[in-house]
Amino acid sequence: PRKQTSINVEFTSRFLHPAEAVLLLISKNVGGIDGATLTFSLKSEVNHIEPADILKCKSPCYEL
C-alpha cells in the first residue's frame, strides 16, 4: 500500500485523428493478499506529423 511505480506506455499513431484505449492493471495474489485492479482511460493527442518516407516516380499521365 501507498507505493508508487512508473509505467511507460508508448503509442505510434498511423492516423491524424486521436485514438482511445483502456489500460487494465490486474494484481496478482501474493501470500493470500489481493490487490486492487486499476483501470485507466487513455486518449492520444497528435501534435506533430512526419512523413514515413518520400517516393519519387515517373509515369505518363494518359495513354491510348
Side-chain angles (χ1 to χ4, degrees), residues 8-63:
N8 294 325
V9 178
E10 185 175 326
F11 172 73
T12 303
S13 179
R14 298 182 313 151
F15 307 103
L16 295 177
H17 56 84
E20 295 184 19
V22 175
L23 174 64
L24 286 174
L25 302 178
I26 301 171
S27 65
K28 184 177 179 183
N29 186 330
V30 178
I33 299 172
D34 288 328
T37 297
L38 303 174
T39 305
F40 298 92
S41 176
L42 306 176
K43 295 181 181 180
S44 70
E45 184 177 309
V46 179
N47 294 324
H48 182 69
I49 301 170
E50 290 185 14
D53 200 4
I54 297 174
L55 301 174
K56 292 183 181 182
C57 62
K58 291 182 181 181
S59 68
C61 291
Y62 178 77
E63 288 184 20

